[in-house]
Every structure is written in structure tokens, then in C-alpha cells.
Amino acid sequence: MDAPVNTSFSSWVPAMQLAWDSTSIGLLKECPRKYQLSLYAGWAPRVESVHLRFGIEHHEALAVYDHAKAQGAPHDDALDAALAHVLRSTWDEALGRPWFSDHQQKNRFTLIRTIVWYLEEFRDDPLRTVRLANGKPAVELSFRWTSDMTTPDGEPVLLCGHLDKIATGPDGQTYIVDRKTTGSYLGTDYFSKFSPDNQFTLYSLAGKVVYSQPVAGLVVDAAQIAVSFSRFQRGLVPRHQSVIDEWYTDLQIWLGQAYEYAKRNYWPMNDKSCNNYGGCPFRGICAHAPSIRDEWLKASFVHRTWDPLRVRGDL
Amino acid sequence: MPEPKQSPLAEALVASMDELISRDPRSLTRQNRDEIVAKLRELRAIFERDQAAGKRVGPAKAPKPVITPEDLGL
């Protein structure tokens, strides 16, 4: 558990992360111990999260559609490309059978239905995907920049992440589009949870810093997945510059704390977060005496590296 | 709140799609995939018809967000 698990960590203070994405920052804010176990030590539940798998498959299929459209394919052909992709990517070659999920709302059928219905809903989307200088569509884009923050040892801190899509609206303005899937009802409450929100404030900041054109805002394309239907709602997530500035000030304090934890190689537990989001996967581990936690981790978790510097597209 | 059951027509559509999407995707032709898309379009039309007719298809219709994309013509 002592070695740095990926390239985003310092070689000077091995437990100090230098490249931060919204997942890493979010985990640190939620619970430093959860951050340590999942990001630094790289432990992940042995059983794949159906929500994570569903979200990844959904994103990838829509990116296939966007790429096909950017190459001039008509809607039906681009839709077919997305469908062919998701049928293949959810097929288990080794077992010769489809991906199995016993989740009532998130399974292979509802995934395929959601992708096709979403693409039908936004067939004539007023949000046009931006085309990059290299001719590729601005989808699944990795971003990173060196912030003005450094560790006390003088190592620069990078901020990074991945944007689903950059698009131009009919008003000629540029928007960052983020696609979400949820089992929740899509009402005011659903969209209001993104303000404040760590991920979207970082994305708003990234849009301003990294992208060559001013970004007018963030658009959330939400898909509500139910057993018998999928429903879509598009919402705007505004971010005033002063809110972004405040988030950045807070981040400097959070990362200062992370440095102190890394130096001591001790990450305190926030036991008020254990029951959030349906319960922390490490709750059972933290419930055991510290001396036997490693054995429990080895028995119920696997190693998986979350490297925020892994690039997806071009920006 | 439990979801209401699908109409028999919708259930029949889902059942007929099951056979297609359970096949090895390498054996599916474009025509097979077009058939899947056609069935899903039909299923969506049923859902939208039911919704328009006021049949409960899940929770009440979602209220608009405070700032709507329409405000910006999106």
C-alpha cells in the first residue's frame, strides 16, 4: 500500500498526488481515508459497479455516433454504428453471452434502448458538436493544465479531466456538454444538485482555461432510466466567475491538507460520509480493527489504477 | 413508487427484440440492427402516446429546470 500507483503521483512525496481530476478531488473532499484506499492504494470492489459500467457504455456509444456524424454519416448510419458498437462492447467473448446485469433499471436492454431513444430525441440537435482543428469532433476530450499551485517542495500541481463534448448553440456560443444517466426523477431537484458541484465547477474552469473560445456554460443531458422507459431532459448549469474563484481558493486549502496527509502517510476517516450515496464500499473495511484491514481488503477488493493523466481524445 | 406495467403491445415488442439482441453481435447484419432500431422506435412511440394520453408512465412529467435550455434556444 506504500508505493505510488500511477503517474499522477509525486516521486518526491510518494503519497502526494500532483495531477488532480474531479474524481480525485471529490474523493478527498468526501473522505480522506476513502481517497487513500481507492486513489493512492488503488483498491476497487471486486464486483463491477453496474452504474459505472452503464455510464461508460452509454458515453462510448454516443461518442461513436458523434464521430460517425463528424465524418459525414447520415443519422441512420451513425445510429447503426453506435448500436453495433454497444452490442459488441456488451458481449462477453469469453463466455459467449451478453453482459449480464440483474439491475432492474440498468441492464443491457435498457442501455440499448436509452442510446437509441436519446439519439432519436436529439436527432436534430440545436447543439452542434465543435469540430477540432484536426477535423475530429470535440467529444471525449482530455484536458490538463499546470495550475499556479505548487507543493511546499515546489512541485507544480496539474488539473485535468475529461469532457464529454464541446458544442456550439444556435446563439453561436460554445457550451460544454456532460451526459448523465440516472435512475432518479428528472426535475428541478435533479439539476439543482449540480450547483454547487465539484465536477462541474472544475469543468467550467477548464473550459475557460484550456479551450480557445470562451465557454458560455455547461449543459447537462440527463437520461432517466426506468424499467419500461427512458426519459431525457436537458438542463443548464450556470457558474458565475466568483463561484469558480471561490472553488479554486478552497481547492488550494484542500490540496494543502492532502500534502500534510501525504507527508504523514496518514489519511483521516470522515465517518460522517460512510452512509452517503448508498454507502461507502469501504465501510465494512473501516469497521474492522486497523490491524486486520489489509487482510479484508485483499479478500474483497482488487487493484485498479485510476490515473487521471490517461488521455482519451485530443484537446 | 412502483412503475406501472407496460402495455401488452410494448411487452410483445420487448420480447421480440430479446431474441435479436441476445445473439452474438458478429452474426447480426445491418438489416437485423435496423429491425432492432425499428422496434425501439415503435416502443418509444407507444411510450410517448401513453404519456400524451395522460397514462402514468412513471412519476409525473418532469417540471422544467429553473433556467431552461429553451431560454437560450438550445
Side-chain angles (χ1 to χ4, degrees), chain A residues 16-175:
Chain A
M16 180 61 192
Q17 189 171 345
L18 296 175
W20 292 82
D21 65 349
S22 66
T23 301
S24 322
I25 299 167
L27 283 167
L28 175 71
K29 289 178 176 179
E30 187 187 339
C31 173
R33 180 65 55 82
K34 184 178 183 183
Y35 165 84
Q36 178 210 11
L37 292 173
S38 54
L39 257 295
Y40 177 53
W43 290 110
R46 197 173 285 277
V47 179
E48 176 188 57
S49 157
V50 66
H51 304 289
L52 189 62
R53 174 78 187 265
F54 195 96
I56 289 171
E57 297 288 356
H58 180 256
H59 275 82
E60 285 183 358
L62 298 184
V64 167
Y65 176 88
D66 286 328
H67 277 284
K69 284 285 282 182
Q71 285 164 15
H75 171 78
D76 283 351
D77 291 352
L79 175 58
D80 180 63
L83 177 60
H85 172 87
V86 73
L87 286 167
R88 277 194 310 270
S89 67
T90 53
W91 182 260
D92 190 326
E93 292 283 350
L95 298 175
R97 65 165 174 75
W99 166 52
F100 175 73
S101 155
D102 60 1
H103 196 278
Q104 253 206 319
Q105 292 159 295
K106 293 187 175 177
N107 52 53
R108 191 167 183 253
F109 171 71
T110 61
L111 172 69
I112 292 166
R113 182 193 67 203
T114 303
I115 290 163
V116 172
W117 285 20
Y118 174 90
L119 293 173
E120 290 291 289
E121 175 100 2
F122 293 108
R123 184 187 182 118
D124 300 309
D125 196 348
L127 281 174
R128 299 281 169 198
T129 307
V130 165
R131 192 181 284 261
L132 299 170
N134 61 13
K136 291 181 183 172
V139 295
E140 295 285 308
L141 298 166
S142 297
F143 67 83
R144 73 169 77 170
W145 80 94
T146 306
S147 73
D148 60 4
M149 291 183 275
T150 58
T151 67
D153 306 309
E155 291 187 281
V157 171
L158 270 67
L159 294 175
C160 55
H162 306 288
L163 304 177
D164 287 348
K165 178 165 163 170
I166 299 176
T168 310
D171 55 0
Q173 302 217 69
T174 304
Y175 295 87

Side-chain angles (χ1 to χ4, degrees), chain A residues 75-77 79-80 83-84 87-88 91 93 98 108-109 112-113 116-117 120-121 123 126-127 169-171 175 185-188 191 219 224 226-231 233-236 238, chain B residues 3-6 14 17-18 21-26 28-30 33-34 36-37 40-41 43-45 47-48 51 57-69 71-74:
Chain A
H75 171 78
D76 283 351
D77 291 352
L79 175 58
D80 180 63
L83 177 60
L87 286 167
R88 277 194 310 270
W91 182 260
E93 292 283 350
R108 191 167 183 253
F109 171 71
I112 292 166
R113 182 193 67 203
V116 172
W117 285 20
E120 290 291 289
E121 175 100 2
R123 184 187 182 118
L127 281 174
D171 55 0
Y175 295 87
Y185 169 62
L186 298 180
T188 312
F191 289 96
V219 171
Q224 177 191 350
V227 178
S228 58
F229 66 90
S230 302
R231 178 186 278 155
Q233 183 99 9
R234 180 168 276 177
L236 280 169
Chain B
E3 263 185 64
K5 286 192 77 164
Q6 294 192 108
V14 172
M17 241 179 302
D18 246 6
I21 68 170
S22 302
R23 281 195 218 160
D24 185 332
R26 286 169 302 191
L28 292 176
T29 61
R30 169 72 190 253
R33 292 193 301 273
D34 283 348
I36 295 171
V37 170
L40 284 170
R41 281 179 176 148
L43 198 60
R44 183 167 180 250
F47 165 67
E48 290 187 334
Q51 205 177 23
V57 282
K61 196 170 189 299
K64 295 285 181 191
V66 180
I67 303 172
T68 69
D71 292 339
L72 296 178
L74 299 182

Side-chain angles (χ1 to χ4, degrees), chain A residues 202-223:
Chain A
L202 173 61
Y203 286 5
S204 300
L205 178 60
K208 289 175 193 292
V209 174
V210 181
Y211 194 53
S212 53
Q213 293 176 37
V215 172
L218 218 144
V219 171
V220 178
D221 270 356

